[in-house]
Amino acid sequence: MRTAPTILHLDMDAFFASAEQASKPSLRGKAVVVGGLGPRGVVATASYEARVFGVHSAMPMAQARRLAPNAAYLVPRFGFYRAISEQVMGLLRALSPLVEPLSLDEAFVDLEAGGAAWDEASARLAGEKLRADIRAVTGLTGSVGLAASKMLAKIASEQAKPDGLVVIDPGSEREMLGPMSVRILPGVGPATGDHLRRAGIHTVDEIVEAGEDELVRLLGKAHGHGLYAMALAHDERPVVAERETKSVSVEDTYDVDIHDRMRVAMEVQRLADRCVRRLRGAGLSGRTIVLKVRRYDFSTLTRSETLRGPTDDVAVVREAAARLLESVDTTGGVRLLGVGVSGLADYTQEDLFAQAAGDLGEVAEEDAGEVDAERVEVPAERRFAAGHDVVHAEFGHGWVQGSGLGRVTVRFETPDSGPGRVRTFRVDDAALAVAEPLPLVPVEGGAAGLRPDLVSHPHHP
């Protein structure tokens, strides 16, 4: 491990929800939940105000609504978040050529590789400047962790939340980790945590005391060895610069093992939908569909099927994933499911299925609740998703508060205005149209968009 805390981990604070609050003045300081609004929807991100009520990511949306009935529930705007993410990643790449993105809102940076830091003082300075730059460019906040390894840098950024910076000095790792819960270590989710608790292991120090052999007995060879090394603060993994995408995948880990076969099948279908949305968002298609299943005993199975040609058709991916699931025994319970597509290409093979039929058959999970109410009278192109941008010929830019029964309610406000007025229209109102998101930070000349090269000054939500 290094002798200086020159590995940085950035985690944007409640990213999706914070972006929505910055975009919508009436939601600032209020509970906001972003995710799938359909009957099988899950929470993608909850604002800190919503977390007070117990709402958290990966929670079923129905449960979130019970916990926080008065929160604002919004459909994700992934293109909007991706544009902000590109701005943030650009700032990280200005620090170092070694940037390892983990998601839209999270990444590791090797500061030493870019000459941005070489000791504790220079690393802290780089981290503070990065936080200030992110606020200036995006109007949002991010938390920064600095340490001598990736694992510890990520733990530090968790401690820094929200909107802070924490440095873990090399040599202090064992003392810092010792009294912490085992859940602080990567790979220790609810199921592993419960398994260790039943064995009388609650803290990182108790993992070390139990010894490597006991952990292997409890968790299996790979998991046991890895967890013991992390408890000793050993992590030699390098920061790996972003490579060309070889696959697109999504997965969910469940707090409680899923035993019902129908529920497992529904989760696989939902993951297939998410995977295709991500695939299309990247302008890609793929030939090989992959299903990943981690069972109750931590055994992980993968199954794959290769098609005749690349596709981005949700019906094709759904059906392939369902076929793959048929070959997997889930009797004892499932703790993780994933669906992926590999063998990527930038084109699709139209003759696999009628693409038009697939497009008509695909209904985004987030819109499912509204679609049912409007099915008879509203054409697909006139559906308005909660939280998405619209523009009215008379009243200007706004966002959808809700829609159904042929009506859409819009709040007219922009990132730089105060809370706006609410008006309701028929969904077929010719003056109302879907719009592109406005920038969170004012740009030169007032042009819309999220171009980092046009940023002029910070906007503080």
Side-chain angles (χ1 to χ4, degrees), residues 14-28 32-34 45 72 74-78 80-81 84 140 386-389 399 413 415 440:
F15 181 47
F16 295 175
S18 294
E20 297 296 349
Q21 288 176 316
S23 178
K24 302 170 171 63
S26 60
L27 297 185
R28 294 171 192 168
V32 174
V33 181
V34 180
T45 309
L74 307 176
V75 174
R77 296 186 291 166
F78 289 112
F80 178 53
Y81 310 144
I84 300 172
L140 304 178
H388 283 222
D389 296 82
W399 58 277
E413 59 187 10
L440 299 182

PDB file of all heavy atoms in Angstrom, residues 14-28 32-34 45 72 74-78 80-81 84 140 386-389 399 413 415 440:
ATOM      1  N   ALA A  14     -26.542  12.086  -2.912  1.00  0.00           N
ATOM      2  CA  ALA A  14     -27.931  11.825  -3.327  1.00  0.00           C
ATOM      3  C   ALA A  14     -28.138  12.337  -4.753  1.00  0.00           C
ATOM      4  O   ALA A  14     -29.046  13.131  -5.019  1.00  0.00           O
ATOM      5  CB  ALA A  14     -28.902  12.486  -2.359  1.00  0.00           C
ATOM      6  N   PHE A  15     -27.328  11.851  -5.671  1.00  0.00           N
ATOM      7  CA  PHE A  15     -27.130  12.492  -6.969  1.00  0.00           C
ATOM      8  C   PHE A  15     -28.426  12.779  -7.724  1.00  0.00           C
ATOM      9  O   PHE A  15     -28.720  13.928  -8.056  1.00  0.00           O
ATOM     10  CB  PHE A  15     -26.190  11.629  -7.812  1.00  0.00           C
ATOM     11  CG  PHE A  15     -25.891  12.191  -9.166  1.00  0.00           C
ATOM     12  CD1 PHE A  15     -25.527  13.517  -9.333  1.00  0.00           C
ATOM     13  CD2 PHE A  15     -25.938  11.383 -10.286  1.00  0.00           C
ATOM     14  CE1 PHE A  15     -25.231  14.040 -10.589  1.00  0.00           C
ATOM     15  CE2 PHE A  15     -25.640  11.877 -11.541  1.00  0.00           C
ATOM     16  CZ  PHE A  15     -25.288  13.203 -11.692  1.00  0.00           C
ATOM     17  N   PHE A  16     -29.206  11.752  -8.034  1.00  0.00           N
ATOM     18  CA  PHE A  16     -30.411  11.979  -8.835  1.00  0.00           C
ATOM     19  C   PHE A  16     -31.345  12.959  -8.125  1.00  0.00           C
ATOM     20  O   PHE A  16     -31.878  13.891  -8.736  1.00  0.00           O
ATOM     21  CB  PHE A  16     -31.160  10.675  -9.084  1.00  0.00           C
ATOM     22  CG  PHE A  16     -30.424   9.660  -9.922  1.00  0.00           C
ATOM     23  CD1 PHE A  16     -30.954   8.394 -10.122  1.00  0.00           C
ATOM     24  CD2 PHE A  16     -29.209   9.967 -10.513  1.00  0.00           C
ATOM     25  CE1 PHE A  16     -30.277   7.454 -10.894  1.00  0.00           C
ATOM     26  CE2 PHE A  16     -28.524   9.034 -11.287  1.00  0.00           C
ATOM     27  CZ  PHE A  16     -29.067   7.779 -11.470  1.00  0.00           C
ATOM     28  N   ALA A  17     -31.580  12.716  -6.830  1.00  0.00           N
ATOM     29  CA  ALA A  17     -32.510  13.567  -6.080  1.00  0.00           C
ATOM     30  C   ALA A  17     -31.979  14.991  -5.956  1.00  0.00           C
ATOM     31  O   ALA A  17     -32.737  15.963  -6.066  1.00  0.00           O
ATOM     32  CB  ALA A  17     -32.775  12.971  -4.694  1.00  0.00           C
ATOM     33  N   SER A  18     -30.665  15.145  -5.731  1.00  0.00           N
ATOM     34  CA  SER A  18     -30.081  16.484  -5.616  1.00  0.00           C
ATOM     35  C   SER A  18     -30.169  17.236  -6.938  1.00  0.00           C
ATOM     36  O   SER A  18     -30.417  18.462  -6.957  1.00  0.00           O
ATOM     37  CB  SER A  18     -28.618  16.381  -5.171  1.00  0.00           C
ATOM     38  OG  SER A  18     -28.524  15.872  -3.869  1.00  0.00           O
ATOM     39  N   ALA A  19     -29.969  16.522  -8.053  1.00  0.00           N
ATOM     40  CA  ALA A  19     -30.107  17.156  -9.362  1.00  0.00           C
ATOM     41  C   ALA A  19     -31.537  17.635  -9.575  1.00  0.00           C
ATOM     42  O   ALA A  19     -31.773  18.725 -10.118  1.00  0.00           O
ATOM     43  CB  ALA A  19     -29.696  16.191 -10.466  1.00  0.00           C
ATOM     44  N   GLU A  20     -32.507  16.833  -9.136  1.00  0.00           N
ATOM     45  CA  GLU A  20     -33.912  17.239  -9.275  1.00  0.00           C
ATOM     46  C   GLU A  20     -34.230  18.440  -8.389  1.00  0.00           C
ATOM     47  O   GLU A  20     -34.947  19.357  -8.794  1.00  0.00           O
ATOM     48  CB  GLU A  20     -34.835  16.070  -8.938  1.00  0.00           C
ATOM     49  CG  GLU A  20     -34.711  14.875  -9.871  1.00  0.00           C
ATOM     50  CD  GLU A  20     -35.114  15.185 -11.306  1.00  0.00           C
ATOM     51  OE1 GLU A  20     -35.684  16.256 -11.560  1.00  0.00           O
ATOM     52  OE2 GLU A  20     -34.859  14.340 -12.191  1.00  0.00           O
ATOM     53  N   GLN A  21     -33.703  18.465  -7.180  1.00  0.00           N
ATOM     54  CA  GLN A  21     -33.943  19.606  -6.293  1.00  0.00           C
ATOM     55  C   GLN A  21     -33.306  20.876  -6.851  1.00  0.00           C
ATOM     56  O   GLN A  21     -33.907  21.959  -6.775  1.00  0.00           O
ATOM     57  CB  GLN A  21     -33.389  19.312  -4.904  1.00  0.00           C
ATOM     58  CG  GLN A  21     -34.196  18.287  -4.130  1.00  0.00           C
ATOM     59  CD  GLN A  21     -33.555  17.942  -2.796  1.00  0.00           C
ATOM     60  OE1 GLN A  21     -32.340  17.751  -2.717  1.00  0.00           O
ATOM     61  NE2 GLN A  21     -34.357  17.861  -1.753  1.00  0.00           N
ATOM     62  N   ALA A  22     -32.104  20.754  -7.403  1.00  0.00           N
ATOM     63  CA  ALA A  22     -31.449  21.922  -7.985  1.00  0.00           C
ATOM     64  C   ALA A  22     -32.211  22.423  -9.203  1.00  0.00           C
ATOM     65  O   ALA A  22     -32.248  23.620  -9.485  1.00  0.00           O
ATOM     66  CB  ALA A  22     -30.013  21.582  -8.364  1.00  0.00           C
ATOM     67  N   SER A  23     -32.833  21.500  -9.933  1.00  0.00           N
ATOM     68  CA  SER A  23     -33.572  21.845 -11.139  1.00  0.00           C
ATOM     69  C   SER A  23     -34.942  22.438 -10.834  1.00  0.00           C
ATOM     70  O   SER A  23     -35.487  23.203 -11.636  1.00  0.00           O
ATOM     71  CB  SER A  23     -33.734  20.584 -11.996  1.00  0.00           C
ATOM     72  OG  SER A  23     -34.478  20.837 -13.156  1.00  0.00           O
ATOM     73  N   LYS A  24     -35.493  22.117  -9.653  1.00  0.00           N
ATOM     74  CA  LYS A  24     -36.879  22.472  -9.314  1.00  0.00           C
ATOM     75  C   LYS A  24     -36.901  23.224  -7.979  1.00  0.00           C
ATOM     76  O   LYS A  24     -36.888  22.601  -6.906  1.00  0.00           O
ATOM     77  CB  LYS A  24     -37.722  21.199  -9.225  1.00  0.00           C
ATOM     78  CG  LYS A  24     -37.727  20.373 -10.522  1.00  0.00           C
ATOM     79  CD  LYS A  24     -38.365  19.012 -10.295  1.00  0.00           C
ATOM     80  CE  LYS A  24     -38.589  18.247 -11.591  1.00  0.00           C
ATOM     81  NZ  LYS A  24     -37.349  17.918 -12.303  1.00  0.00           N
ATOM     82  N   PRO A  25     -36.940  24.546  -8.009  1.00  0.00           N
ATOM     83  CA  PRO A  25     -36.864  25.324  -6.772  1.00  0.00           C
ATOM     84  C   PRO A  25     -37.904  24.944  -5.720  1.00  0.00           C
ATOM     85  O   PRO A  25     -37.628  25.010  -4.520  1.00  0.00           O
ATOM     86  CB  PRO A  25     -37.086  26.766  -7.259  1.00  0.00           C
ATOM     87  CG  PRO A  25     -36.608  26.756  -8.668  1.00  0.00           C
ATOM     88  CD  PRO A  25     -36.966  25.407  -9.212  1.00  0.00           C
ATOM     89  N   SER A  26     -39.092  24.526  -6.144  1.00  0.00           N
ATOM     90  CA  SER A  26     -40.142  24.195  -5.176  1.00  0.00           C
ATOM     91  C   SER A  26     -39.835  22.931  -4.386  1.00  0.00           C
ATOM     92  O   SER A  26     -40.471  22.670  -3.355  1.00  0.00           O
ATOM     93  CB  SER A  26     -41.478  24.023  -5.901  1.00  0.00           C
ATOM     94  OG  SER A  26     -41.398  22.986  -6.862  1.00  0.00           O
ATOM     95  N   LEU A  27     -38.830  22.138  -4.820  1.00  0.00           N
ATOM     96  CA  LEU A  27     -38.500  20.886  -4.132  1.00  0.00           C
ATOM     97  C   LEU A  27     -37.281  21.014  -3.225  1.00  0.00           C
ATOM     98  O   LEU A  27     -36.935  20.065  -2.519  1.00  0.00           O
ATOM     99  CB  LEU A  27     -38.257  19.770  -5.144  1.00  0.00           C
ATOM    100  CG  LEU A  27     -39.444  19.383  -6.023  1.00  0.00           C
ATOM    101  CD1 LEU A  27     -39.086  18.187  -6.898  1.00  0.00           C
ATOM    102  CD2 LEU A  27     -40.675  19.078  -5.179  1.00  0.00           C
ATOM    103  N   ARG A  28     -36.637  22.156  -3.224  1.00  0.00           N
ATOM    104  CA  ARG A  28     -35.439  22.312  -2.396  1.00  0.00           C
ATOM    105  C   ARG A  28     -35.792  22.264  -0.914  1.00  0.00           C
ATOM    106  O   ARG A  28     -36.708  22.931  -0.462  1.00  0.00           O
ATOM    107  CB  ARG A  28     -34.723  23.609  -2.756  1.00  0.00           C
ATOM    108  CG  ARG A  28     -34.163  23.560  -4.168  1.00  0.00           C
ATOM    109  CD  ARG A  28     -33.633  24.888  -4.658  1.00  0.00           C
ATOM    110  NE  ARG A  28     -33.375  24.831  -6.102  1.00  0.00           N
ATOM    111  CZ  ARG A  28     -33.123  25.874  -6.862  1.00  0.00           C
ATOM    112  NH1 ARG A  28     -33.090  27.089  -6.315  1.00  0.00           N
ATOM    113  NH2 ARG A  28     -32.910  25.726  -8.162  1.00  0.00           N
ATOM    114  N   VAL A  32     -37.631  14.148  -1.639  1.00  0.00           N
ATOM    115  CA  VAL A  32     -37.730  13.808  -3.058  1.00  0.00           C
ATOM    116  C   VAL A  32     -37.270  12.360  -3.242  1.00  0.00           C
ATOM    117  O   VAL A  32     -36.213  11.964  -2.726  1.00  0.00           O
ATOM    118  CB  VAL A  32     -36.859  14.738  -3.927  1.00  0.00           C
ATOM    119  CG1 VAL A  32     -36.864  14.286  -5.380  1.00  0.00           C
ATOM    120  CG2 VAL A  32     -37.345  16.179  -3.809  1.00  0.00           C
ATOM    121  N   VAL A  33     -38.061  11.585  -3.966  1.00  0.00           N
ATOM    122  CA  VAL A  33     -37.723  10.187  -4.240  1.00  0.00           C
ATOM    123  C   VAL A  33     -37.749   9.981  -5.750  1.00  0.00           C
ATOM    124  O   VAL A  33     -38.749  10.297  -6.404  1.00  0.00           O
ATOM    125  CB  VAL A  33     -38.711   9.224  -3.558  1.00  0.00           C
ATOM    126  CG1 VAL A  33     -38.322   7.770  -3.839  1.00  0.00           C
ATOM    127  CG2 VAL A  33     -38.752   9.477  -2.048  1.00  0.00           C
ATOM    128  N   VAL A  34     -36.656   9.464  -6.288  1.00  0.00           N
ATOM    129  CA  VAL A  34     -36.542   9.229  -7.726  1.00  0.00           C
ATOM    130  C   VAL A  34     -36.490   7.720  -7.975  1.00  0.00           C
ATOM    131  O   VAL A  34     -35.737   7.010  -7.304  1.00  0.00           O
ATOM    132  CB  VAL A  34     -35.267   9.883  -8.298  1.00  0.00           C
ATOM    133  CG1 VAL A  34     -35.151   9.622  -9.794  1.00  0.00           C
ATOM    134  CG2 VAL A  34     -35.267  11.379  -8.014  1.00  0.00           C
ATOM    135  N   THR A  45     -32.853   6.800  -5.968  1.00  0.00           N
ATOM    136  CA  THR A  45     -32.194   7.706  -5.023  1.00  0.00           C
ATOM    137  C   THR A  45     -33.248   8.435  -4.221  1.00  0.00           C
ATOM    138  O   THR A  45     -34.290   8.817  -4.760  1.00  0.00           O
ATOM    139  CB  THR A  45     -31.318   8.750  -5.743  1.00  0.00           C
ATOM    140  OG1 THR A  45     -30.452   8.106  -6.666  1.00  0.00           O
ATOM    141  CG2 THR A  45     -30.476   9.525  -4.758  1.00  0.00           C
ATOM    142  N   ALA A  72     -42.132  14.075  -2.929  1.00  0.00           N
ATOM    143  CA  ALA A  72     -42.309  14.189  -4.380  1.00  0.00           C
ATOM    144  C   ALA A  72     -41.700  12.951  -5.017  1.00  0.00           C
ATOM    145  O   ALA A  72     -40.540  12.617  -4.767  1.00  0.00           O
ATOM    146  CB  ALA A  72     -41.612  15.442  -4.891  1.00  0.00           C
ATOM    147  N   LEU A  74     -40.624  11.114  -8.479  1.00  0.00           N
ATOM    148  CA  LEU A  74     -40.272  11.518  -9.831  1.00  0.00           C
ATOM    149  C   LEU A  74     -39.668  10.365 -10.622  1.00  0.00           C
ATOM    150  O   LEU A  74     -38.949   9.518 -10.076  1.00  0.00           O
ATOM    151  CB  LEU A  74     -39.251  12.668  -9.792  1.00  0.00           C
ATOM    152  CG  LEU A  74     -39.625  13.889  -8.943  1.00  0.00           C
ATOM    153  CD1 LEU A  74     -38.463  14.882  -8.935  1.00  0.00           C
ATOM    154  CD2 LEU A  74     -40.891  14.545  -9.469  1.00  0.00           C
ATOM    155  N   VAL A  75     -39.936  10.359 -11.934  1.00  0.00           N
ATOM    156  CA  VAL A  75     -39.337   9.402 -12.850  1.00  0.00           C
ATOM    157  C   VAL A  75     -37.913   9.870 -13.185  1.00  0.00           C
ATOM    158  O   VAL A  75     -37.692  11.061 -13.430  1.00  0.00           O
ATOM    159  CB  VAL A  75     -40.183   9.311 -14.141  1.00  0.00           C
ATOM    160  CG1 VAL A  75     -39.496   8.433 -15.175  1.00  0.00           C
ATOM    161  CG2 VAL A  75     -41.577   8.775 -13.813  1.00  0.00           C
ATOM    162  N   PRO A  76     -36.930   8.989 -13.202  1.00  0.00           N
ATOM    163  CA  PRO A  76     -35.552   9.411 -13.501  1.00  0.00           C
ATOM    164  C   PRO A  76     -35.421  10.062 -14.877  1.00  0.00           C
ATOM    165  O   PRO A  76     -36.114   9.681 -15.824  1.00  0.00           O
ATOM    166  CB  PRO A  76     -34.761   8.093 -13.458  1.00  0.00           C
ATOM    167  CG  PRO A  76     -35.593   7.161 -12.652  1.00  0.00           C
ATOM    168  CD  PRO A  76     -37.013   7.548 -12.918  1.00  0.00           C
ATOM    169  N   ARG A  77     -34.510  11.025 -14.972  1.00  0.00           N
ATOM    170  CA  ARG A  77     -34.159  11.650 -16.246  1.00  0.00           C
ATOM    171  C   ARG A  77     -32.691  11.306 -16.528  1.00  0.00           C
ATOM    172  O   ARG A  77     -31.797  12.099 -16.266  1.00  0.00           O
ATOM    173  CB  ARG A  77     -34.344  13.170 -16.174  1.00  0.00           C
ATOM    174  CG  ARG A  77     -35.779  13.601 -15.952  1.00  0.00           C
ATOM    175  CD  ARG A  77     -35.908  15.123 -16.035  1.00  0.00           C
ATOM    176  NE  ARG A  77     -35.271  15.793 -14.918  1.00  0.00           N
ATOM    177  CZ  ARG A  77     -35.004  17.095 -14.877  1.00  0.00           C
ATOM    178  NH1 ARG A  77     -35.290  17.863 -15.924  1.00  0.00           N
ATOM    179  NH2 ARG A  77     -34.437  17.637 -13.818  1.00  0.00           N
ATOM    180  N   PHE A  78     -32.453  10.101 -17.046  1.00  0.00           N
ATOM    181  CA  PHE A  78     -31.089   9.611 -17.139  1.00  0.00           C
ATOM    182  C   PHE A  78     -30.218  10.428 -18.084  1.00  0.00           C
ATOM    183  O   PHE A  78     -29.019  10.596 -17.844  1.00  0.00           O
ATOM    184  CB  PHE A  78     -31.092   8.133 -17.546  1.00  0.00           C
ATOM    185  CG  PHE A  78     -31.575   7.224 -16.455  1.00  0.00           C
ATOM    186  CD1 PHE A  78     -32.775   6.555 -16.582  1.00  0.00           C
ATOM    187  CD2 PHE A  78     -30.844   7.053 -15.291  1.00  0.00           C
ATOM    188  CE1 PHE A  78     -33.239   5.720 -15.569  1.00  0.00           C
ATOM    189  CE2 PHE A  78     -31.292   6.226 -14.278  1.00  0.00           C
ATOM    190  CZ  PHE A  78     -32.492   5.554 -14.424  1.00  0.00           C
ATOM    191  N   PHE A  80     -30.334  13.617 -18.487  1.00  0.00           N
ATOM    192  CA  PHE A  80     -29.983  14.797 -17.691  1.00  0.00           C
ATOM    193  C   PHE A  80     -28.859  14.453 -16.714  1.00  0.00           C
ATOM    194  O   PHE A  80     -27.850  15.166 -16.619  1.00  0.00           O
ATOM    195  CB  PHE A  80     -31.238  15.249 -16.952  1.00  0.00           C
ATOM    196  CG  PHE A  80     -31.056  16.426 -16.033  1.00  0.00           C
ATOM    197  CD1 PHE A  80     -30.487  17.605 -16.472  1.00  0.00           C
ATOM    198  CD2 PHE A  80     -31.497  16.356 -14.720  1.00  0.00           C
ATOM    199  CE1 PHE A  80     -30.340  18.696 -15.618  1.00  0.00           C
ATOM    200  CE2 PHE A  80     -31.367  17.436 -13.865  1.00  0.00           C
ATOM    201  CZ  PHE A  80     -30.783  18.608 -14.308  1.00  0.00           C
ATOM    202  N   TYR A  81     -29.005  13.325 -15.993  1.00  0.00           N
ATOM    203  CA  TYR A  81     -27.978  12.930 -15.038  1.00  0.00           C
ATOM    204  C   TYR A  81     -26.665  12.607 -15.752  1.00  0.00           C
ATOM    205  O   TYR A  81     -25.588  12.924 -15.250  1.00  0.00           O
ATOM    206  CB  TYR A  81     -28.428  11.708 -14.229  1.00  0.00           C
ATOM    207  CG  TYR A  81     -29.800  11.820 -13.619  1.00  0.00           C
ATOM    208  CD1 TYR A  81     -30.629  10.709 -13.530  1.00  0.00           C
ATOM    209  CD2 TYR A  81     -30.283  13.039 -13.128  1.00  0.00           C
ATOM    210  CE1 TYR A  81     -31.897  10.797 -12.974  1.00  0.00           C
ATOM    211  CE2 TYR A  81     -31.551  13.137 -12.584  1.00  0.00           C
ATOM    212  CZ  TYR A  81     -32.356  12.011 -12.509  1.00  0.00           C
ATOM    213  OH  TYR A  81     -33.617  12.100 -11.969  1.00  0.00           O
ATOM    214  N   ILE A  84     -24.704  15.753 -16.542  1.00  0.00           N
ATOM    215  CA  ILE A  84     -24.023  16.278 -15.350  1.00  0.00           C
ATOM    216  C   ILE A  84     -22.821  15.403 -15.012  1.00  0.00           C
ATOM    217  O   ILE A  84     -21.738  15.897 -14.678  1.00  0.00           O
ATOM    218  CB  ILE A  84     -24.992  16.348 -14.158  1.00  0.00           C
ATOM    219  CG1 ILE A  84     -26.169  17.268 -14.468  1.00  0.00           C
ATOM    220  CG2 ILE A  84     -24.260  16.841 -12.908  1.00  0.00           C
ATOM    221  CD1 ILE A  84     -27.274  17.239 -13.425  1.00  0.00           C
ATOM    222  N   LEU A 140     -24.018  21.273  -7.714  1.00  0.00           N
ATOM    223  CA  LEU A 140     -24.274  20.165  -6.798  1.00  0.00           C
ATOM    224  C   LEU A 140     -23.080  19.933  -5.878  1.00  0.00           C
ATOM    225  O   LEU A 140     -22.010  20.505  -6.081  1.00  0.00           O
ATOM    226  CB  LEU A 140     -24.578  18.888  -7.589  1.00  0.00           C
ATOM    227  CG  LEU A 140     -25.729  18.977  -8.588  1.00  0.00           C
ATOM    228  CD1 LEU A 140     -25.883  17.652  -9.325  1.00  0.00           C
ATOM    229  CD2 LEU A 140     -27.026  19.360  -7.887  1.00  0.00           C
ATOM    230  N   ALA A 386     -43.807  12.003 -14.622  1.00  0.00           N
ATOM    231  CA  ALA A 386     -43.648  12.879 -13.455  1.00  0.00           C
ATOM    232  C   ALA A 386     -42.197  13.303 -13.294  1.00  0.00           C
ATOM    233  O   ALA A 386     -41.281  12.475 -13.265  1.00  0.00           O
ATOM    234  CB  ALA A 386     -44.122  12.152 -12.198  1.00  0.00           C
ATOM    235  N   GLY A 387     -41.982  14.614 -13.203  1.00  0.00           N
ATOM    236  CA  GLY A 387     -40.641  15.150 -13.030  1.00  0.00           C
ATOM    237  C   GLY A 387     -39.957  15.564 -14.307  1.00  0.00           C
ATOM    238  O   GLY A 387     -38.940  16.260 -14.270  1.00  0.00           O
ATOM    239  N   HIS A 388     -40.498  15.156 -15.463  1.00  0.00           N
ATOM    240  CA  HIS A 388     -39.839  15.477 -16.729  1.00  0.00           C
ATOM    241  C   HIS A 388     -40.202  16.880 -17.214  1.00  0.00           C
ATOM    242  O   HIS A 388     -41.209  17.459 -16.810  1.00  0.00           O
ATOM    243  CB  HIS A 388     -40.185  14.424 -17.780  1.00  0.00           C
ATOM    244  CG  HIS A 388     -39.425  13.149 -17.589  1.00  0.00           C
ATOM    245  ND1 HIS A 388     -38.871  12.451 -18.631  1.00  0.00           N
ATOM    246  CD2 HIS A 388     -39.113  12.450 -16.472  1.00  0.00           C
ATOM    247  CE1 HIS A 388     -38.251  11.379 -18.166  1.00  0.00           C
ATOM    248  NE2 HIS A 388     -38.388  11.349 -16.864  1.00  0.00           N
ATOM    249  N   ASP A 389     -39.362  17.409 -18.101  1.00  0.00           N
ATOM    250  CA  ASP A 389     -39.477  18.801 -18.540  1.00  0.00           C
ATOM    251  C   ASP A 389     -40.515  18.969 -19.640  1.00  0.00           C
ATOM    252  O   ASP A 389     -40.634  18.121 -20.536  1.00  0.00           O
ATOM    253  CB  ASP A 389     -38.121  19.278 -19.061  1.00  0.00           C
ATOM    254  CG  ASP A 389     -37.069  19.289 -17.981  1.00  0.00           C
ATOM    255  OD1 ASP A 389     -36.490  18.216 -17.712  1.00  0.00           O
ATOM    256  OD2 ASP A 389     -36.831  20.353 -17.405  1.00  0.00           O
ATOM    257  N   TRP A 399     -42.172  21.631 -15.272  1.00  0.00           N
ATOM    258  CA  TRP A 399     -41.988  20.180 -15.130  1.00  0.00           C
ATOM    259  C   TRP A 399     -43.295  19.543 -14.684  1.00  0.00           C
ATOM    260  O   TRP A 399     -44.146  20.182 -14.076  1.00  0.00           O
ATOM    261  CB  TRP A 399     -40.862  19.861 -14.149  1.00  0.00           C
ATOM    262  CG  TRP A 399     -41.026  20.421 -12.759  1.00  0.00           C
ATOM    263  CD1 TRP A 399     -40.716  21.683 -12.330  1.00  0.00           C
ATOM    264  CD2 TRP A 399     -41.539  19.726 -11.602  1.00  0.00           C
ATOM    265  NE1 TRP A 399     -40.991  21.836 -10.989  1.00  0.00           N
ATOM    266  CE2 TRP A 399     -41.492  20.648 -10.512  1.00  0.00           C
ATOM    267  CE3 TRP A 399     -42.007  18.436 -11.383  1.00  0.00           C
ATOM    268  CZ2 TRP A 399     -41.912  20.300  -9.237  1.00  0.00           C
ATOM    269  CZ3 TRP A 399     -42.429  18.091 -10.100  1.00  0.00           C
ATOM    270  CH2 TRP A 399     -42.373  19.007  -9.051  1.00  0.00           C
ATOM    271  N   GLU A 413     -41.426  26.568 -13.430  1.00  0.00           N
ATOM    272  CA  GLU A 413     -40.272  27.149 -12.743  1.00  0.00           C
ATOM    273  C   GLU A 413     -39.011  26.651 -13.423  1.00  0.00           C
ATOM    274  O   GLU A 413     -39.039  25.665 -14.171  1.00  0.00           O
ATOM    275  CB  GLU A 413     -40.266  26.763 -11.258  1.00  0.00           C
ATOM    276  CG  GLU A 413     -40.228  25.272 -10.995  1.00  0.00           C
ATOM    277  CD  GLU A 413     -40.390  24.924  -9.520  1.00  0.00           C
ATOM    278  OE1 GLU A 413     -40.723  25.831  -8.738  1.00  0.00           O
ATOM    279  OE2 GLU A 413     -40.176  23.751  -9.153  1.00  0.00           O
ATOM    280  N   PRO A 415     -34.390  26.422 -12.869  1.00  0.00           N
ATOM    281  CA  PRO A 415     -33.381  26.388 -11.806  1.00  0.00           C
ATOM    282  C   PRO A 415     -33.067  27.746 -11.207  1.00  0.00           C
ATOM    283  O   PRO A 415     -32.694  27.830 -10.033  1.00  0.00           O
ATOM    284  CB  PRO A 415     -32.155  25.799 -12.526  1.00  0.00           C
ATOM    285  CG  PRO A 415     -32.724  24.954 -13.601  1.00  0.00           C
ATOM    286  CD  PRO A 415     -33.942  25.685 -14.076  1.00  0.00           C
ATOM    287  N   LEU A 440     -28.332  23.563 -14.771  1.00  0.00           N
ATOM    288  CA  LEU A 440     -28.435  23.924 -13.355  1.00  0.00           C
ATOM    289  C   LEU A 440     -27.647  25.187 -13.043  1.00  0.00           C
ATOM    290  O   LEU A 440     -27.962  25.909 -12.104  1.00  0.00           O
ATOM    291  CB  LEU A 440     -27.914  22.774 -12.486  1.00  0.00           C
ATOM    292  CG  LEU A 440     -28.664  21.453 -12.611  1.00  0.00           C
ATOM    293  CD1 LEU A 440     -28.074  20.427 -11.654  1.00  0.00           C
ATOM    294  CD2 LEU A 440     -30.143  21.645 -12.344  1.00  0.00           C
TER     295      LEU A 440
END
